[in-house]
Coordinates of all heavy atoms in Angstrom, one line a residue:
E294 N 65.2 -116.5 75.7 CA 66.4 -115.7 75.5 C 66.1 -114.5 74.7 O 66.6 -113.4 75.0 CB 67.4 -116.6 74.7 CG 68.1 -117.6 75.6 CD 69.2 -118.4 74.8 OE1 69.2 -118.3 73.6 OE2 70.1 -119.0 75.5
K295 N 65.2 -114.6 73.7 CA 64.9 -113.4 72.9 C 64.2 -112.4 73.7 O 64.5 -111.2 73.6 CB 64.0 -113.9 71.7 CG 63.6 -112.8 70.7 CD 62.8 -113.3 69.6 CE 62.4 -112.2 68.6 NZ 61.6 -112.7 67.5
D296 N 63.2 -112.8 74.6 CA 62.5 -111.9 75.4 C 63.5 -111.2 76.4 O 63.4 -110.0 76.7 CB 61.4 -112.7 76.2 CG 60.3 -113.1 75.3 OD1 60.2 -112.5 74.2 OD2 59.5 -114.0 75.7
I297 N 64.4 -112.1 77.0 CA 65.4 -111.5 77.9 C 66.2 -110.4 77.3 O 66.4 -109.3 77.8 CB 66.2 -112.6 78.5 CG1 65.4 -113.6 79.4 CG2 67.4 -112.1 79.4 CD1 66.1 -114.8 79.8
R298 N 66.7 -110.7 76.1 CA 67.6 -109.8 75.4 C 66.9 -108.5 75.0 O 67.4 -107.4 75.0 CB 68.3 -110.4 74.2 CG 69.2 -111.6 74.7 CD 69.9 -112.2 73.5 NE 70.6 -113.4 73.9 CZ 71.7 -113.5 74.6 NH1 72.3 -112.3 74.9 NH2 72.3 -114.6 74.9
K299 N 65.6 -108.7 74.6 CA 64.8 -107.5 74.2 C 64.5 -106.6 75.3 O 64.6 -105.4 75.2 CB 63.4 -108.0 73.6 CG 62.5 -106.9 73.1 CD 61.3 -107.5 72.5 CE 60.4 -106.3 72.0 NZ 59.1 -106.9 71.4
T300 N 64.2 -107.2 76.5 CA 64.0 -106.4 77.7 C 65.3 -105.8 78.1 O 65.3 -104.6 78.6 CB 63.5 -107.3 78.8 OG1 62.3 -107.9 78.4 CG2 63.2 -106.5 80.1
R301 N 66.4 -106.5 78.0 CA 67.7 -106.0 78.4 C 68.1 -104.8 77.7 O 68.8 -103.9 78.2 CB 68.7 -107.1 78.3 CG 70.1 -106.7 78.6 CD 70.2 -106.4 80.1 NE 71.6 -105.9 80.5 CZ 72.0 -104.7 80.4 NH1 71.2 -103.8 79.9 NH2 73.2 -104.4 80.8
A302 N 67.7 -104.7 76.4 CA 68.0 -103.5 75.5 C 67.4 -102.2 76.0 O 67.9 -101.2 75.6 CB 67.6 -103.8 74.1
T303 N 66.4 -102.3 76.8 CA 65.7 -101.1 77.3 C 66.2 -100.6 78.6 O 65.7 -99.6 79.1 CB 64.1 -101.4 77.4 OG1 63.9 -102.4 78.4 CG2 63.6 -101.8 76.0
I304 N 67.1 -101.3 79.2 CA 67.6 -100.8 80.5 C 69.1 -100.6 80.4 O 69.7 -100.8 79.4 CB 67.2 -101.9 81.6 CG1 67.8 -103.2 81.2 CG2 65.7 -102.0 81.8 CD1 67.5 -104.3 82.3
N305 N 69.7 -100.0 81.5 CA 71.1 -99.6 81.5 C 72.0 -100.7 81.8 O 71.6 -101.8 82.1 CB 71.3 -98.4 82.4 CG 70.8 -98.7 83.8 OD1 71.0 -99.8 84.3 ND2 70.2 -97.7 84.4
N306 N 73.3 -100.3 81.8 CA 74.4 -101.3 82.1 C 74.3 -102.0 83.5 O 75.0 -102.9 83.7 CB 75.7 -100.7 81.8 CG 75.9 -100.3 80.4 OD1 75.3 -100.9 79.5 ND2 76.7 -99.2 80.2
H307 N 73.5 -101.4 84.3 CA 73.5 -101.9 85.7 C 72.9 -103.4 85.7 O 73.2 -104.1 86.7 CB 72.6 -101.0 86.6 CG 72.4 -101.5 88.0 ND1 73.4 -101.5 88.9 CD2 71.3 -102.1 88.5 CE1 72.9 -102.0 90.1 NE2 71.6 -102.4 89.8
L308 N 72.2 -103.7 84.6 CA 71.6 -105.1 84.6 C 72.4 -106.1 83.9 O 72.0 -107.2 83.7 CB 70.2 -105.0 83.9 CG 69.2 -104.0 84.5 CD1 67.9 -104.0 83.7 CD2 68.9 -104.5 85.9
D309 N 73.7 -105.8 83.5 CA 74.5 -106.7 82.8 C 74.8 -108.0 83.6 O 74.6 -109.1 83.1 CB 75.9 -106.1 82.4 CG 75.7 -105.1 81.3 OD1 74.7 -105.2 80.6 OD2 76.6 -104.3 81.1
K310 N 75.1 -107.8 84.9 CA 75.4 -109.0 85.7 C 74.2 -109.8 86.0 O 74.2 -111.0 86.0 CB 76.0 -108.5 87.0 CG 76.5 -109.7 87.9 CD 77.2 -109.2 89.2 CE 77.7 -110.4 90.0 NZ 76.7 -111.3 90.3
L311 N 73.0 -109.1 86.2 CA 71.8 -109.8 86.5 C 71.4 -110.6 85.3 O 70.8 -111.8 85.4 CB 70.7 -108.8 86.8 CG 70.9 -108.0 88.1 CD1 69.7 -107.1 88.3 CD2 71.1 -108.9 89.3
Q312 N 71.6 -110.1 84.1 CA 71.2 -110.8 82.8 C 72.1 -112.1 82.7 O 71.6 -113.2 82.4 CB 71.5 -109.9 81.6 CG 71.3 -110.7 80.3 CD 71.6 -109.8 79.1 OE1 70.9 -108.8 78.9 NE2 72.5 -110.2 78.3
E313 N 73.4 -112.0 83.0 CA 74.3 -113.1 82.9 C 73.9 -114.2 83.9 O 73.9 -115.4 83.6 CB 75.7 -112.6 83.2 CG 76.7 -113.8 83.1 CD 78.1 -113.3 83.4 OE1 78.3 -112.0 83.7 OE2 79.0 -114.1 83.5
D314 N 73.5 -113.8 85.2 CA 73.0 -114.8 86.2 C 71.8 -115.5 85.7 O 71.7 -116.7 85.9 CB 72.8 -114.1 87.5 CG 74.0 -113.5 88.1 OD1 75.1 -114.0 87.7 OD2 73.9 -112.6 89.0
L315 N 70.9 -114.8 85.1 CA 69.6 -115.4 84.7 C 69.9 -116.4 83.5 O 69.3 -117.5 83.5 CB 68.6 -114.4 84.2 CG 67.2 -114.9 83.9 CD1 66.6 -115.6 85.1 CD2 66.3 -113.8 83.4
L316 N 70.7 -116.0 82.6 CA 71.1 -116.9 81.5 C 71.7 -118.2 82.0 O 71.5 -119.3 81.5 CB 72.0 -116.2 80.5 CG 71.3 -115.1 79.6 CD1 72.3 -114.4 78.7 CD2 70.2 -115.7 78.8
K317 N 72.6 -118.0 83.0 CA 73.2 -119.2 83.6 C 72.1 -120.1 84.2 O 72.2 -121.3 84.1 CB 74.2 -118.8 84.6 CG 75.5 -118.2 84.1 CD 76.5 -117.9 85.2 CE 77.8 -117.3 84.6 NZ 78.7 -117.0 85.7
Q318 N 71.2 -119.5 84.9 CA 70.1 -120.2 85.5 C 69.2 -121.0 84.5 O 68.9 -122.1 84.6 CB 69.2 -119.3 86.3 CG 68.0 -120.1 87.0 CD 67.0 -119.1 87.6 OE1 67.2 -117.9 87.6 NE2 65.9 -119.7 88.2
L319 N 69.0 -120.3 83.4 CA 68.2 -120.9 82.3 C 68.9 -122.1 81.7 O 68.3 -123.2 81.5 CB 68.0 -119.8 81.2 CG 67.3 -120.3 79.9 CD1 65.9 -120.9 80.1 CD2 67.3 -119.2 78.8
N320 N 70.2 -122.0 81.4 CA 70.9 -123.1 80.9 C 71.0 -124.2 81.9 O 71.0 -125.4 81.5 CB 72.3 -122.6 80.5 CG 72.3 -121.7 79.3 OD1 71.4 -121.8 78.4 ND2 73.2 -120.8 79.2
A321 N 71.2 -123.9 83.2 CA 71.3 -124.9 84.2 C 70.0 -125.7 84.3 O 70.0 -127.0 84.4 CB 71.7 -124.3 85.5
V322 N 68.9 -125.0 84.3 CA 67.6 -125.7 84.4 C 67.3 -126.6 83.2 O 66.9 -127.7 83.3 CB 66.5 -124.6 84.6 CG1 65.1 -125.3 84.5 CG2 66.6 -123.9 85.9
E323 N 67.7 -126.0 82.0 CA 67.4 -126.8 80.8 C 68.3 -128.0 80.7 O 67.9 -129.1 80.4 CB 67.7 -125.9 79.5 CG 67.4 -126.7 78.2 CD 68.1 -126.1 77.0 OE1 69.1 -125.4 77.2 OE2 67.6 -126.4 75.9

């Protein structure tokens, strides 16, 4: 999660939805 959020800080708002999808995938797998 920390890596994802750190990477997310360097890109624009276009990635907001992609970030949310990945976090959902992470929680689902865990």
Side-chain angles (χ1 to χ4, degrees):
E294 283 185 345
K295 184 178 179 180
D296 291 341
I297 293 172
R298 298 183 187 282
K299 182 178 179 181
T300 303
R301 178 65 184 82
T303 63
I304 59 179
N305 56 38
N306 294 332
H307 177 74
L308 300 177
D309 285 343
K310 186 178 183 303
L311 298 179
Q312 174 183 301
E313 182 180 358
D314 293 341
L315 185 61
L316 290 175
K317 287 181 179 179
Q318 181 189 357
L319 172 63
N320 291 328
V322 172
E323 184 201 18

